Amino acid sequence: MAAKELPVVPSARPGTMAAGAAMERIREQRPVIDQQKCNLCRECLLYCPDAALTVDKGEVRVDLHFCKGCGICAVECPVRAITMVPEYAGNRGVIEK
């Protein structure tokens, strides 16, 4: 099938599909950034597959609406400014509201 024959699929504006607490249901851990250690090298931004990291006012921020908790940012941080912490304090696999 040629590209011209593919059906047109409506799409949402960027950032609207993951709005809400969608990632909180599947994420087991989340990144926490020690801003004192961070040297703003931006390697975490480069490696984040979900583009969940941004730089705002001289600090790296995590958008938890997009973060899946993969931990790649923590592994790739050259100064170890990012640590992964458990998303929930309760029993593993049990989500309480």
Side-chain angles (χ1 to χ4, degrees):
M1 179 180 279
K4 291 181 180 180
E5 297 173 15
L6 292 175
V8 176
V9 179
S11 61
R13 289 178 302 149
T16 59
M17 296 300 289
M23 286 303 114
E24 292 175 9
R25 293 189 185 107
I26 63 170
R27 187 176 54 232
E28 290 187 15
Q29 55 185 359
R30 61 184 165 83
V32 173
I33 301 170
D34 183 345
Q35 300 295 343
Q36 300 299 321
K37 285 185 180 179
C38 180
N39 62 3
L40 291 174
C41 68
R42 293 176 168 82
E43 286 207 26
C44 55
L45 278 71
L46 177 68
Y47 286 101
C48 180
D50 301 309
L53 300 167
T54 58
V55 175
D56 181 38
K57 298 179 184 173
E59 292 187 342
V60 175
R61 306 265 184 207
V62 180
D63 187 341
L64 294 176
H65 287 112
F66 297 104
C67 177
K68 291 186 179 97
C70 67
I72 293 173
C73 58
V75 171
E76 295 298 333
C77 180
V79 294
R80 302 292 176 238
I82 304 173
T83 55
M84 300 302 289
V85 297
E87 184 71 37
Y88 303 105
N91 295 332
R92 185 180 170 113
V94 177
I95 299 175
E96 298 177 11
K97 288 198 175 204

